[in-house]
Amino acid sequence: MYIHELVDIVGHRRGDYMRHAALTWAPIGRRERDQTCMGVWAVVGSTSRWPRVVNLWELASWEALGRNFDVELRGEGLQDPELAAWWAEASTMRSGGFDRILEAPTWSPSAAELHSRATDRPRAGYLHEIVTVVAGSDAELLERVRGDGIAAYSEAGFTLIGAYRRALANDDECVLIWAFPSWSVWADAMRVDGTAVASGDGPAAAIARWRRDQRDVVTGRRAFLLADAPDSPMRTGRTV
């Protein structure tokens, strides 16, 4: 299970907030809630609303998520009293946000797997996709990602970071996160983004053909780019 946060940042405090999340909250969450910080990312502003940060937190199960909420909602104001100081400081850096509860299939990489490989290969950035599908088709899309989507993106130089279905919804939304090693790799793959390519060679064609083949279940797609926070476990390899 995962808590996926889109956080709206106040002014120029993005760097401050990313450090606050990765270095201060992550150890607390691990200690008190058995909640692992998978990653902290800056949203590339030219590709989405700005300034924003994405946090992704991993929990072992639905039961672990329930225990997390039990801890979070204690105390006056339905706020964990142990986090009062953290929340007070965070309020100067962020103005709100939007969270999703995500569920991953067993084949989607775990935080431990990703952190153990964090320094093995360069990651210039990440493609973050929010894909809407026909109601009830989220599991089917994830199986298609597993079946041939990973191969199509791999041909273009991308590595799967996570494939998730959104819980507490209508079984109609998936989140896909892909890493790429350089901005030139990303540019080559996106050259015909949004264009159906039935034939031809190259990374753009591979991804475009795969997307074309999903049109029977996919009803919409929003994508934006991410960059690792300096202290994110995805960059440092430290699981906290």
Side-chain angles (χ1 to χ4, degrees):
M1 298 302 302
Y2 295 83
I3 300 174
H4 175 285
E5 301 178 312
L6 272 170
V7 183
D8 293 321
I9 301 299
V10 174
H12 297 284
R13 302 298 305 277
R14 185 170 70 180
D16 296 334
Y17 177 78
M18 291 191 297
R19 284 190 295 273
H20 197 51
L23 298 181
T24 306
W25 163 243
I28 295 172
R30 188 65 181 266
R31 182 177 64 250
E32 296 187 357
R33 309 186 189 193
D34 200 19
Q35 175 177 306
T36 299
C37 177
M38 174 173 274
V40 177
W41 296 273
V43 174
V44 177
S46 297
T47 64
S48 184
R49 179 175 172 175
W50 54 269
R52 269 187 164 181
V53 167
V54 170
N55 300 323
L56 191 61
W57 311 95
E58 182 183 82
L59 298 106
S61 62
W62 278 99
E63 289 75 18
L65 182 64
R67 290 194 297 273
N68 170 75
F69 290 147
D70 181 45
V71 172
E72 180 176 319
L73 299 174
R74 295 173 183 172
E76 296 183 9
L78 298 180
Q79 187 178 93
D80 180 3
E82 298 296 325
L83 287 176
W86 189 93
W87 277 81
E89 188 172 355
S91 69
T92 69
M93 308 174 195
R94 62 184 184 183
S95 59
F98 183 87
D99 288 8
R100 290 172 169 84
I101 301 299
L102 303 178
E103 187 172 18
T106 56
W107 49 266
S108 184
S110 68
E113 292 175 292
L114 293 169
H115 298 167
S116 69
R117 306 196 305 264
T119 58
D120 291 349
R121 64 181 70 180
R123 295 175 181 147
Y126 301 80
L127 177 66
H128 181 294
E129 300 182 295
I130 300 174
V131 184
T132 53
V133 297
V134 175
S137 301
D138 54 354
E140 179 180 349
L141 180 68
L142 291 182
E143 276 304 304
R144 294 186 186 191
V145 170
R146 182 188 189 187
D148 50 18
I150 292 175
Y153 278 77
S154 178
E155 184 176 338
F158 288 65
T159 302
L160 180 70
I161 297 300
Y164 316 98
R165 62 173 292 273
R166 182 183 176 189
L168 308 180
N170 197 30
D171 300 331
D172 60 354
E173 187 175 275
C174 296
V175 174
L176 307 175
I177 304 175
W178 310 88
F180 49 87
S182 71
W183 289 102
S184 61
V185 166
W186 169 78
D188 287 344
M190 298 297 107
R191 200 175 302 279
V192 291
D193 189 21
T195 302
V197 176
S199 61
D201 299 319
I207 291 178
R209 283 197 300 271
W210 187 81
R211 289 180 184 161
R212 177 206 61 193
D213 293 342
Q214 314 315 313
R215 289 179 179 171
D216 58 325
V217 295
V218 172
T219 59
R221 172 180 167 271
R222 291 167 288 153
F224 51 88
L225 299 174
L226 305 174
D228 278 320
D231 300 301
S232 173
M234 292 292 290
R235 178 187 289 271
T236 67
R238 295 193 308 268
T239 298
V240 291

